[in-house]
Amino acid sequence: DGDDGGQTFPDIFTVIIPELAPTVGFDQHNPHHCYDVWTHTAHAVQAGPAEEVLRLALLLHDIAKTYTIRHGGSHAQLGAAWVREETGNPALAQAVLWHVSWPWQDGPLDDAADPFRLPVIIAYADKRVRHNEVVTLEERFEDLMVRYGIDDERKARITGYLNRTKAVEKAIFDKIGAF
């Protein structure tokens, strides 16, 4: 449909949301990221669902990454605080906060129990994108294992995230069908 997720228009987005300006051309200082923060964000927006709130959450999910690379801290936590303060939207802030991983398992907050909560959808979409392409969970987590599985503890954590994300994917597909 010609939608590039805003990749070719960072100058427009950064006028509307000046906090995005530092992401343009900013190297993620990680040999496993082939794109600057802005281009990664644009690919995520492009690969995400067409719903406006989901695209906005994807646009903002790494808004604090440049600051935390320079000064330390959690880009998800700092970004969520900014989004909450600037937008007044707690659901959008929650999507930014939990885009790396959803912390609850089992019970009413289990991500697979209600996979259509905004943060769960954003976390799921984030796990389906590798660099600039939408891939299967197996492909994405194989890539994560190669890049970050440097010891048994991290391998176990990545495997646990894969299993949780598969449960979320199954819950989504059970409700809407596979695409």
Side-chain angles (χ1 to χ4, degrees):
D1 65 359
D3 181 2
D4 72 352
Q7 184 176 340
T8 58
F9 301 108
D11 50 334
I12 294 171
F13 283 95
T14 58
V15 168
I16 298 166
I17 306 172
E19 291 80 2
L20 288 172
T23 69
V24 179
F26 189 88
D27 182 1
Q28 297 192 55
H29 301 285
N30 182 321
H32 305 297
H33 287 291
C34 62
Y35 295 109
D36 65 27
V37 177
W38 172 258
T39 304
H40 160 77
T41 297
H43 282 299
V45 171
Q46 183 180 16
E51 288 79 12
E52 188 174 295
V53 69
L54 295 176
R55 291 227 168 168
L56 184 56
L58 286 165
L59 180 67
L60 300 175
H61 83 282
D62 279 345
I63 198 159
K65 189 171 260 190
T66 59
Y67 182 89
T68 58
I69 287 173
R70 288 183 177 129
H71 305 288
S74 165
H75 78 282
Q77 291 175 350
L78 184 60
W82 177 89
V83 167
R84 178 66 173 99
E85 179 68 24
E86 294 299 316
T87 69
N89 186 326
L92 192 58
Q94 189 181 48
V96 172
L97 179 62
W98 300 119
H99 82 272
V100 176
S101 67
W102 186 251
W104 295 283
Q105 295 180 17
D106 303 319
L109 291 179
D110 186 285
D111 47 3
D114 183 6
F116 294 100
R117 286 185 299 247
L118 183 61
V120 177
I121 288 289
I122 297 304
Y124 173 73
D126 190 57
K127 301 306 176 276
R128 289 291 308 270
V129 176
R130 181 183 60 206
H131 306 303
N132 67 339
E133 63 183 334
V134 177
V135 296
T136 66
L137 292 177
E138 288 76 13
E139 291 171 303
R140 175 70 166 119
F141 279 86
E142 179 181 315
D143 178 56
L144 292 174
M145 192 66 79
V146 167
R147 293 192 288 145
Y148 301 112
I150 61 173
D151 57 38
D152 289 341
E153 180 183 336
R154 290 186 187 184
K155 287 177 183 176
R157 192 175 329 140
I158 292 167
T159 300
Y161 287 154
L162 171 60
N163 292 335
R164 293 302 315 145
T165 308
K166 281 183 175 181
V168 169
E169 182 175 73
K170 181 182 182 319
I172 292 169
F173 290 175
D174 284 351
K175 291 188 181 196
I176 65 169
F179 51 91

